Amino acid sequence: MGKVSMWFGGVFYALIVWGGGVVNGENVMFFIFGDEVNDVGTNNYIISSKEFQANYYPYGIETSCGSTGRLCDGLLIPDYIAEFANLPFIPPYLEPNANFSYGANFASGGSGALRETNDEEVLSLRTQVGQFILLQEKLRRELGNSKAKKLIAEAVYFISVGINDYKAFVNQYEARTQIYDAKEYVELVTSNLTAEIQVLYDNGAKKFLVALPKDLGCTPGMRQLAEGDCYKLATNITELHNEIMEKILTAQATKLEDFNYIIFNQMEFVAPRIQDPTKYGFKYGDIACCGSGPDRRWDTCGGKLNAESYELCINRSAYVYFDAYHVSQGINKQAAIALWEGNDSSVKPLALKEFFNREVSVSHVSHERKRKAKIAAIVEHASS
């Protein structure tokens, strides 16, 4: 964006500040929610432990910016999507003096669909949606209702959440199964996620990109529970989550007017790269680049878990996984390309580039549901 002369006045300035990116003539904004798949630095601005932050070496080692808070050796999927859409990197909502002209990133590494997942360490999906509502209200005040509704309706909403809920279930299995069996727990997670998608829709969102969790059981961190093999319990619950969410999103599209969705099944996308890494330009599919213990499966990268030492591989581009639970920049780039082009079976029913070039109608927004969601979000944020 260029400089704005003062004589244009407040109204013109607001339009410049909020004007979204332009792709093939279409105004577009990009709003991002969820967990570490999408977190570009939110957890830098909250009180959180080192386990849920990545603002230290060697995270970000592949980028000129260094350790920015991305749980990766480099860039994340939303960074590449922004690049493909001719947008700048979308900043964290909590970043001081950030420019939200093109959208905002609310994602918080370690968060889940359930409010209790890593509570008091991260921002839950519900809190993130509440933050979006507050930002949306500011947008309406500064641009007017009609202009704001159009920008909100044309925006793309990227959500990745669930894997931390299931990590908590596996790690606290005995305690959790006193309350739920695995199927009941998955239904609880998916119903919470669906409810937040509904709140976004009721506030004018139309275009949803939902990333389904990768295979938790086949992460290096979970393999330590199965002597190097994929941990079946973790694999089974993430697989069930993905099956249920695909059915829910398909049903929502038939029930809700102008509800558009893209599913990105990370489990389906990553699995062949684990099984046959050389086919996709990697060498190691089941070993972490950074960590300690057998095959660097222990989640100690950068000194997490108060580790005094850890190992860092030399050829980071050869690895599917950078640390015990998080994939490498190479995987993120391949995933973003697959999403944008829609040329992989893990992406359906259409390519993401169509979202950034598709107009949708601006229909009625449920102000009562919006009001309730806003109040709930404010109360939760104030109490955390």
Side-chain angles (χ1 to χ4, degrees):
M1 294 192 308
K3 294 181 180 178
V4 180
S5 299
M6 292 301 292
W7 63 269
F8 282 111
V11 174
F12 185 76
Y13 178 75
L15 290 174
I16 291 293
V17 167
W18 288 103
V22 178
V23 181
N24 295 336
E26 292 294 333
N27 287 326
V28 66
M29 298 183 79
F30 191 22
F31 295 107
I32 304 158
F33 305 83
D35 53 28
E36 58 270 26
V37 170
N38 286 342
D39 182 3
V40 297
T42 293
N43 288 2
N44 296 344
Y45 304 104
I46 63 175
I47 299 174
S48 183
S49 64
K50 193 170 186 177
E51 180 182 356
F52 301 105
Q53 295 180 323
N55 52 359
Y56 50 89
Y57 181 87
Y59 291 101
I61 192 172
E62 296 293 343
T63 70
S64 59
C65 298
S67 305
T68 57
R70 293 163 169 83
L71 277 160
C72 178
D73 55 324
L75 299 180
L76 302 180
I77 294 173
D79 297 319
Y80 288 111
I81 291 174
E83 179 183 338
F84 299 156
N86 293 331
L87 301 171
F89 287 166
I90 306 301
Y93 173 71
L94 295 182
E95 180 180 304
N97 304 314
N99 182 348
F100 301 126
S101 304
Y102 303 91
N105 189 319
F106 305 91
S108 175
S111 68
L114 304 182
R115 295 174 64 181
E116 61 264 30
T117 297
N118 299 320
D119 189 27
E120 298 183 0
E121 292 272 13
V122 302
L123 302 182
S124 69
L125 180 61
R126 186 177 186 187
T127 295
Q128 296 172 36
V129 171
Q131 290 174 333
F132 165 76
I133 292 170
L134 295 177
L135 184 61
Q136 178 203 62
E137 289 292 333
K138 183 179 179 183
L139 180 62
R140 292 180 187 278
R141 289 194 304 270
E142 297 190 5
L143 292 184
N145 193 57
S146 179
K147 174 70 173 178
K149 284 179 70 174
K150 179 172 175 57
L151 288 175
I152 291 164
E154 295 296 337
V156 175
Y157 298 79
F158 183 11
I159 303 171
S160 172
V161 77
I163 198 163
N164 292 302
D165 299 299
Y166 300 122
K167 190 190 297 185
F169 182 82
V170 172
N171 291 336
Q172 304 164 17
Y173 183 73
E174 290 188 8
R176 298 271 175 156
T177 51
Q178 295 292 320
I179 306 171
Y180 314 101
D181 63 28
K183 185 173 184 294
E184 290 170 337
Y185 189 79
V186 172
E187 289 173 344
L188 180 65
V189 171
T190 53
S191 65
N192 273 261
L193 172 53
T194 303
E196 297 307 326
I197 291 174
Q198 182 71 50
V199 171
L200 290 171
Y201 174 82
D202 289 337
N203 280 275
K206 306 292 185 184
K207 297 185 285 189
F208 295 91
L209 166 58
V210 180
L212 306 180
K214 59 183 173 288
D215 187 344
L216 175 60
C218 290
T219 59
M222 280 291 161
R223 286 177 182 270
Q224 65 181 308
L225 301 178
E227 299 182 346
D229 294 328
C230 295
Y231 190 53
K232 289 185 178 180
L233 170 63
T235 293
N236 291 343
I237 56 177
T238 46
E239 188 173 38
L240 179 58
H241 171 101
N242 294 353
E243 291 174 1
I244 292 175
M245 279 309 304
E246 184 166 345
K247 291 177 181 178
I248 288 173
L249 291 169
T250 302
Q252 294 290 75
T254 64
K255 293 188 298 183
L256 302 177
E257 182 180 3
D258 292 322
F259 181 93
N260 300 274
Y261 73 95
I262 295 172
I263 290 172
F264 175 42
N265 190 325
Q266 294 185 91
M267 191 173 199
E268 182 179 340
F269 181 81
V270 176
R273 289 159 174 80
I274 293 174
Q275 296 160 4
D276 189 5
T278 57
K279 182 179 178 180
Y280 300 92
F282 302 97
K283 187 175 181 180
Y284 306 104
D286 56 357
I287 300 173
C289 168
C290 185
S292 55
D295 294 336
R296 294 185 281 270
R297 296 175 197 144
W298 300 349
D299 191 21
T300 56
C301 185
K304 284 186 286 188
L305 303 180
N306 297 316
E308 295 183 0
S309 64
Y310 62 91
E311 299 174 8
L312 178 65
C313 70
I314 297 174
N315 185 10
R316 293 173 292 276
S317 64
Y319 289 76
V320 169
Y321 277 91
F322 179 63
D323 69 11
Y325 293 104
H326 308 112
V327 296
S328 65
Q329 174 179 255
I331 287 291
N332 288 331
K333 185 173 184 178
Q334 290 186 7
I337 292 170
L339 275 166
W340 190 257
E341 298 296 336
N343 57 4
D344 190 274
S345 61
S346 63
V347 180
K348 52 188 174 183
L350 70 162
L352 181 58
K353 60 185 176 183
E354 294 192 35
F355 263 13
F356 283 89
N357 293 280
R358 171 186 288 190
E359 285 192 13
V360 296
S361 64
V362 182
S363 56
H364 175 69
V365 175
S366 171
H367 295 287
E368 176 64 18
R369 187 183 292 267
K370 179 179 73 174
R371 184 188 67 81
K372 291 179 179 178
K374 178 179 177 181
I375 291 172
I378 293 172
V379 168
E380 180 186 6
H381 188 64
S383 62
S384 61

